[in-house]
Amino acid sequence: MSETAGRPLERVRDSTSLSRHGPEPASLADILERVLDKGIIIAGDIRVNLLDIELLTIKLRLLVVSVDKAEEMGIDWWRHDPMLTVGERGMEEENRQLRERVAELEGRGAEGEARHDG
Amino acid sequence: MTDDERSSARYLYAVCRRLDPAVLQGVPALGDAPLDVVVQHDLMAVVSTVSLAVFGEEALRRNLEDIAWLEETARVHDEVVRAVSRCAPTAPMRLATICFDDAVVRARLREWYVDLAHVLDRIEGCSEWSVKVLTAPTDQAIDDGAAPAVTNGADYLRRKKLLAERRSAHDSSVAEAAGRIHDALVLLARASRILPAQDPRLSGHRGTMVLNAAYLVPDQERAAFAALVEQLGTHDDRVVVDSRGPWPPYSFAMLEAR
């Protein structure tokens, strides 16, 4: 499945003459990034649940691209996975407490103004 | 026929124009079925019959999760698309586009006629070329180069800082090199797309992939494009240029969202 592993990299790898009749098949990464991600999309009669396709694409993307690249591309489902986001949940709780505190202080300010105006 | 009684359907590989169906003889299709052509006006869809036991919704959902099945299916799909695109202007379909029968296929071709015709006009007479720029495997030289010998903690920190600076300068110069290569290749292409970098676990490449791009190259520019790739690759020894093609124009056969 890999084209380059186990062989020294040449300065330029140009498989112009090879790929057509191919003793060397195209890499799985090259094929998948094209047949799954590119090409014409026309809705057929067999519709695989979109959510499933997205999950599949995400899994493949994580294979095709590295995790930091995935984040760059906006694939960040693990952020919403409760198993992986304990730290963030802690921050949410902190944010909630801060919002309450701000509301409380604003409420107090409004009361103060009201007293001042009255 | 109700859906429950159906046991097979038509799998679409590509839509093309002016294809001699004889070229499809002997090209292996999914499930070893023969390839057929469904004609609608001047558009031709290349199809074969697939079993719904494998390509029905339930089965497909399961099978798509199986990387070995996915690889086999993707390779057969790609081989059919390649065979067609060698002989005719071809718009590849995304994997697993399946209609119940030829009447539905024709209905889809009618429905998308204008868009498909536009795609075929755009890609006619061109092929897709994949060009990747990888950092040369001599990267290790940065770490092994003339860095001060470590004799104490301050030396250690100085050495770390120096290596980090060198690496950072090297990375940005490699990215610039990749940018220059892309800028040069674009001039010979009708269109280009930057694709996400691939993971070495799947592609097997060494070094860092700093550019993964697809170029839609007119056939008359093919030799010039290959020569330019060769020249750009030998010009800069920090990078390896990996060029592959011709591909069917997958990356340039996309319908506009509507």
Side-chain angles (χ1 to χ4, degrees):
Chain A
M1 122 174 148
S2 93
E3 296 173 29
T4 51
R7 252 179 290 152
L9 278 172
E10 294 143 30
R11 293 291 323 127
V12 178
R13 294 181 50 86
D14 189 347
S15 60
T16 312
S17 56
L18 295 178
S19 55
R20 272 205 166 196
H21 306 288
E24 182 180 40
S27 89
L28 181 60
D30 283 351
I31 291 185
L32 288 185
E33 80 182 349
R34 285 174 171 79
V35 303
L36 288 176
D37 222 25
K38 307 289 184 304
I40 303 280
I41 307 171
I42 287 180
D45 292 314
I46 301 298
R47 293 169 194 239
V48 174
N49 186 317
L50 253 179
L51 191 64
D52 284 357
I53 285 190
E54 276 173 39
L55 283 176
L56 168 84
T57 311
I58 288 165
K59 280 185 218 156
L60 282 165
R61 282 231 165 117
L62 287 178
L63 284 175
V64 172
V65 307
S66 57
V67 174
D68 51 343
K69 280 282 173 198
E71 261 193 294
E72 254 174 53
M73 291 161 56
I75 300 172
D76 60 349
W77 51 268
W78 57 84
R79 293 198 173 284
H80 309 296
D81 188 328
M83 293 296 286
L84 301 169
T85 52
V86 177
E88 282 201 8
R89 273 193 300 170
M91 233 156 79
E92 265 175 38
E93 174 60 20
E94 204 179 319
N95 279 340
R96 192 185 60 76
Q97 288 173 356
L98 279 171
R99 274 197 300 275
E100 278 178 10
R101 182 81 183 124
V102 168
E104 202 182 307
L105 290 169
E106 280 175 351
R108 210 177 278 167
E111 274 169 33
E113 275 173 41
R115 270 201 301 275
H116 179 77
D117 290 346
Chain B
M1 190 161 37
T2 70
D3 290 2
D4 291 343
E5 290 164 347
R6 258 176 238 284
S7 62
S8 65
R10 297 292 250 175
Y11 181 105
L12 278 75
Y13 298 86
V15 174
C16 61
R17 279 183 188 137
R18 300 188 304 277
L19 178 74
D20 175 3
V23 306
L24 299 175
Q25 275 174 18
V27 177
L30 293 166
D32 290 327
L35 287 165
D36 298 310
V37 170
V38 176
V39 179
Q40 172 62 40
H41 197 48
D42 61 335
L43 298 182
M44 305 166 92
V46 176
V47 304
S48 71
T49 298
V50 289
S51 163
L52 286 178
V54 181
F55 286 93
E57 282 177 22
E58 283 287 314
L60 193 55
R61 200 170 299 141
R62 208 171 43 244
N63 286 332
L64 284 170
E65 302 280 350
D66 175 351
I67 191 85
W69 185 90
L70 180 63
E71 171 166 13
E72 171 65 18
T73 305
R75 285 194 186 281
V76 173
H77 178 100
D78 179 57
E79 282 304 321
V80 172
V81 172
R82 273 170 198 271
V84 176
S85 72
R86 279 198 284 272
C87 309
T90 301
M93 305 296 295
R94 188 160 297 192
L95 194 80
T97 304
I98 300 155
C99 296
F100 283 144
D101 54 35
D102 288 357
V104 179
V105 174
R106 273 190 289 272
R108 291 290 179 275
L109 294 182
R110 269 199 303 277
E111 186 185 338
W112 290 94
Y113 182 85
V114 173
D115 307 72
L116 289 167
H118 178 69
V119 167
L120 290 173
D121 288 345
R122 183 159 34 130
I123 55 88
E124 178 153 14
C126 298
S127 303
E128 177 171 333
W129 290 77
S130 157
V131 175
K132 302 186 188 77
V133 177
L134 303 151
T135 55
T138 50
D139 257 20
Q140 197 56 36
I142 296 173
D143 295 343
D144 299 341
V150 176
T151 52
N152 59 39
D155 276 355
Y156 173 76
L157 290 176
R158 259 196 297 281
R159 182 187 156 94
K160 269 197 84 121
K161 184 161 175 282
L162 179 71
L163 291 180
E165 280 168 359
R166 273 191 206 165
R167 185 160 286 283
S168 159
H170 180 263
D171 284 354
S172 64
S173 70
V174 164
E176 278 166 25
R180 275 196 296 276
I181 288 170
H182 175 66
D183 291 346
L185 293 176
V186 156
L187 296 177
L188 288 178
R190 189 177 293 180
S192 69
R193 283 180 73 112
I194 307 277
L195 310 177
Q198 294 175 346
D199 188 299
R201 284 171 296 175
L202 201 57
S203 66
H205 70 262
R206 283 191 253 160
T208 305
M209 192 177 287
V210 284
L211 178 71
N212 181 18
Y215 300 89
L216 187 65
V217 181
D219 293 340
Q220 67 268 23
E221 300 286 4
R222 188 181 285 191
F225 189 85
L228 184 57
V229 167
E230 173 80 29
Q231 186 205 325
L232 292 166
T234 45
H235 177 70
D236 190 333
D237 59 3
R238 291 167 305 177
V239 294
V240 174
V241 179
D242 179 326
S243 157
R244 275 150 209 277
W247 281 88
Y250 285 102
S251 304
F252 304 96
M254 322 268 286
L255 298 177
E256 305 296 324
R258 68 171 191 188

